[in-house]
Amino acid sequence: MSASPQFTRSIWFTTVLALLVALGTQVLIGSLLPLFAFEWFYEMPPMNHPVLIAGETSFWRVDALIRAMSFAMGAFIAHLLAKSHSWQLLASLVAISIADTFFEQFPMPATPWQLGIWASAAPAGALLVGVLFQTRKTNA
């Protein structure tokens, strides 16, 4: 009888862990990031004490960037833990980031192209890191 795989090599475990890391990173970056550093993203002048309000249209670019970075971090942690950089892991990370998009508060009122960019930020971050790990695996 073969030995059972380690728990951290389970694709479902690493996917759920990646989601938790991504959501935690999203909260940390959103609360600790001084938004005035991204003043070139806004259509308005910088404020003394900027506050990121979920769903506010003026911050949709910063929110999309935060989502992409946080889901890229989650995918990075998942690939480090999984030890197998399979396409199944990559597909599960992209699927969970798409599913997470439906539970987030959409920036409103926003145009369809803004919503498209915002919604694709999380899957794009996870996909980018997954493809980087796949190309690294094939080159090694």
Side-chain angles (χ1 to χ4, degrees), residues 37-61:
F38 289 104
E39 70 183 35
W40 48 278
F41 272 155
Y42 306 165
E43 291 105 13
M44 67 176 99
M47 300 174 283
N48 289 338
H49 302 290
V51 177
L52 177 62
I53 300 171
E56 187 176 326
T57 313
S58 61
F59 294 111
W60 74 270
R61 292 181 189 104

Side-chain angles (χ1 to χ4, degrees), residues 8-65:
T8 58
R9 292 187 182 192
S10 165
I11 289 178
W12 291 112
F13 175 76
T14 54
T15 302
V16 170
L17 188 64
L19 177 65
L20 293 175
V21 167
L23 293 176
T25 305
Q26 190 174 350
V27 169
L28 277 175
I29 292 174
S31 64
L32 299 178
L33 180 72
L35 293 178
F36 57 87
F38 289 104
E39 70 183 35
W40 48 278
F41 272 155
Y42 306 165
E43 291 105 13
M44 67 176 99
M47 300 174 283
N48 289 338
H49 302 290
V51 177
L52 177 62
I53 300 171
E56 187 176 326
T57 313
S58 61
F59 294 111
W60 74 270
R61 292 181 189 104
V62 176
D63 195 27
L65 183 64

Side-chain angles (χ1 to χ4, degrees), residues 33-132:
L33 180 72
L35 293 178
F36 57 87
F38 289 104
E39 70 183 35
W40 48 278
F41 272 155
Y42 306 165
E43 291 105 13
M44 67 176 99
M47 300 174 283
N48 289 338
H49 302 290
V51 177
L52 177 62
I53 300 171
E56 187 176 326
T57 313
S58 61
F59 294 111
W60 74 270
R61 292 181 189 104
V62 176
D63 195 27
L65 183 64
I66 290 170
R67 285 174 48 78
M69 290 185 331
S70 64
F71 276 87
M73 176 64 78
F76 181 76
I77 297 297
H79 279 280
L80 287 179
L81 286 176
K83 303 288 186 200
S84 67
H85 311 294
S86 66
W87 289 106
Q88 185 180 9
L89 175 63
L90 179 58
S92 68
L93 291 172
V94 170
I96 200 76
S97 64
I98 290 171
D100 171 72
T101 300
F102 292 106
F103 294 101
E104 294 275 341
Q105 184 177 359
F106 292 104
M108 291 304 241
T111 62
W113 68 269
Q114 289 173 331
L115 288 174
I117 291 173
W118 180 87
S120 64
L127 186 64
L128 176 67
V129 169
V131 168
L132 289 175

